[in-house]
């Protein structure tokens, strides 16, 4: 290996963005639906997204700077995370356009909405899974606004959730890579985690 050592402090913000988002891959995508103060439906993908806690279930996504999603979740305290499967990738990408605040992005993307049960923003009817969330806290860090939310309801298509486990092939998740690249989870492989006891027994 012949490593380059890069000092982030010597790079521009844009250079660091491409370096970080090219290396932290694949990133899960939270396709966030929210409502404006006037009830306008908003949708936007966020790949700065992950689990914070499973007990209780808490997730976070980060909005860079201030766009409509941040304003909406701050105002209403609610959002839905829609999971993007392969056939929804193009519709998801369309909702990343810089729509004005008062445009209905479900309508623009030609997506049907399904009513949520615990929060006001609807989910995308065609997704195979979604989390209904209530904002726990929002932290500003660097140019990121980290939105933490309690997951108050989970919707998952029956064909995806079997015997208490999510079927990877049926979820057909999409990951964000660097630039305009994406990956599809179509070649999952399995590794069982070793235990110290098994490892020790194998060397005896
Ligand atoms: C796959 C994908 C992932 C994205 N991830 C983020 C992200 O994590 N944070 C962010 O601020 N913008 C992200 N964007 C850009 C936003 O989706 C875009 O700026 C959008 O217009 C914001 O919408 P809003 O104004 O409705 O909030 C992403 C775009 C795409 C296509």
């Amino acid at each position: 290996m012949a490593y380059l050592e890069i000092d982030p402090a010597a790079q521009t913000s844009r250079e660091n963005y491409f370096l970080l988002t090219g290396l932290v891959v694949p990133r899960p995508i939270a396709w966030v639906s929210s409502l404006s103060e006037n009830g306008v439906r908003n949708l936007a993908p966020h790949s700065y997204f992950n689990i914070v806690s499973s007990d209780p279930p808490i997730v976070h996504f980060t909005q860079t700077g201030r766009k409509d999603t941040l304003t909406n979740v701050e105002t209403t305290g609610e959002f839905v995370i829609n999971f993007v499967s392969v056939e929804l990738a193009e519709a998801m990408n369309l909702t990343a356009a810089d729509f004005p605040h008062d445009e209905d992005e479900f309508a623009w993307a030609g997506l049907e909405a399904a009513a949520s049960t615990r929060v006001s923003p609807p989910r995308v009817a065609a997704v195979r899974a979604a989390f209904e969330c209530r904002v726990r806290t929002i932290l500003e860090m660097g140019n990121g606004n980290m939105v933490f939310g309690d997951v108050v309801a989970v919707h998952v298509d029956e064909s995806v959730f079997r015997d208490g486990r999510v079927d990877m092939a049926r979820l057909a998740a999409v990951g964000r890579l660097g630039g305009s690249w994406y990956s599809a989870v179509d070649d999952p492989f399995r590794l069982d985690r070793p235990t110290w006891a098994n490892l020790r027994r194998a060397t005896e």
Side-chain angles (χ1 to χ4, degrees), residues 17 27-30 32 34 42-49 61-72 92-99 101 105 175-176 179 181-182:
Y17 168 80
R27 293 187 303 286
I29 301 173
V32 180
S34 60
N42 193 87
L43 261 179
H46 291 78
S47 66
Y48 296 3
F49 162 53
F61 69 91
T62 293
Q63 182 143 76
T64 305
R66 171 173 296 277
K67 294 172 275 194
D68 294 340
T69 302
L70 180 65
T71 301
N72 290 353
M92 173 279 293
N93 190 40
L94 193 143
T95 64
D98 54 342
F99 292 101
H101 188 58
E105 294 174 27
R176 173 98 195 258
W181 290 91
Y182 293 87

Side-chain angles (χ1 to χ4, degrees), residues 188-194:
F189 61 93
R190 185 177 165 148
L191 288 176
D192 292 322
R193 193 185 300 187

Side-chain angles (χ1 to χ4, degrees), residues 124-167:
V124 174
V127 296
R128 300 181 193 177
F131 291 165
E132 296 185 18
C133 301
R134 288 213 179 91
V135 174
R136 178 177 273 256
T137 189
I138 300 177
L139 297 181
E140 192 181 340
M141 212 176 285
N143 65 359
N145 292 289
M146 304 180 72
V147 178
F148 294 82
D150 287 278
V151 179
V152 295
V154 176
H155 299 271
V156 56
D157 186 74
E158 285 174 2
S159 71
V160 169
F161 197 58
R162 292 177 171 183
D163 304 323
R165 294 285 188 279
V166 176
D167 181 323

